[in-house]
Amino acid sequence: GAVVSQHPSRVICKSGTSVKIECRSLDFQATTMFWYRQFPKQSLMLMATSNEGSKATYEQGVEKDKFLINHASLTLSTLTVTSAHPEDSSFYICSAGAHYSYEQYFGPGTRLTVT
Amino acid sequence: AQSVTQPDIHITVSEGASLELRCNYSYGATPYLFWYVQSPGQGLQLLLKYFSGDTLVQGIKGFEAEFKRSQSSFNLRKPSVHWSDAAEYFCAVGGNTGTASKLTFGTGTRLQVTL
């Protein structure tokens, strides 16, 4: 149980375009979802926390207008990178938490490359 | 603010040797502590977690960790390393809020296993 999926696993987009990444909890209701970013050979940095039906809470330094997060249902959160630039190229990982657990369940990640 | 320090960036051990990866945390109260493993290009896999109770925690793949409040440490150990254990290991701390809360990750330790 507690499986989280991400789609797509890899995406390449041109500079200036937008790209959407989906994060789904497959077998539980995710009251909270988290979005992390990981640069090559570096640690994970939390970008934002989203609760179902509420606006996301962004970490300091993360541009909310550039990284749009929507958590419209208890099983789906989306991260949209708007007007992507090469420096947005990174590995994006989501995680989901259920109301009954202290634990987060991580998705497999999405590799974004902006050309 | 919560923080995690993993002092060893890179560790090399021989297959069959014992392993200890260090993790020190900073948190104002009793934290939730986690160890994750990540293979290249992959998501995170939870090895073990500490919420409360017994300070020696057993995890998957033969790993264990000990929570030492006096030292603010949560070191990961394995008595005999296998070549397949080569990966990146992350220690993380989360808030003791009763539900899934944002995690702060250490910078990671890359484990190399020699045959």
Side-chain angles (χ1 to χ4, degrees), chain A residues 31-36 46-52 54-59 62 69-71 77 95 97 104, chain B residues 99-103:
Chain A
T31 50
T32 305
M33 284 187 168
F34 305 87
W35 286 94
Y36 296 86
L46 179 67
M47 299 175 66
T49 303
S50 71
N51 293 295
E52 186 265 339
S54 303
K55 288 185 178 181
T57 301
Y58 290 80
E59 295 298 300
V62 178
I69 292 171
N70 183 279
H71 191 169
S77 176
S95 68
Q104 293 178 34
Chain B
T99 58
S101 62
K102 65 180 184 180
L103 297 179

Side-chain angles (χ1 to χ4, degrees), chain A residues 32 34 36 38 41-46 49 59 91 93 96-99 101-104 106-109 111, chain B residues 32 34 36 38 41-44 46 49 51 88 90 96-108 110:
Chain A
T32 305
F34 305 87
Y36 296 86
Q38 185 180 32
K41 300 187 186 299
Q42 295 191 28
S43 187
L44 283 79
M45 300 296 294
L46 179 67
T49 303
E59 295 298 300
F91 194 53
I93 303 177
H99 71 278
S101 173
Y102 306 140
E103 196 174 326
Q104 293 178 34
F106 283 83
R111 172 77 57 195
Chain B
Y32 293 161
F34 306 83
Y36 292 91
Q38 184 181 37
Q42 303 296 313
L44 299 180
L46 178 67
K49 57 186 182 283
F51 293 149
E88 188 87 19
F90 292 98
N96 189 338
T97 61
T99 58
S101 62
K102 65 180 184 180
L103 297 179
T104 298
F105 286 84
T107 49
R110 181 168 299 278

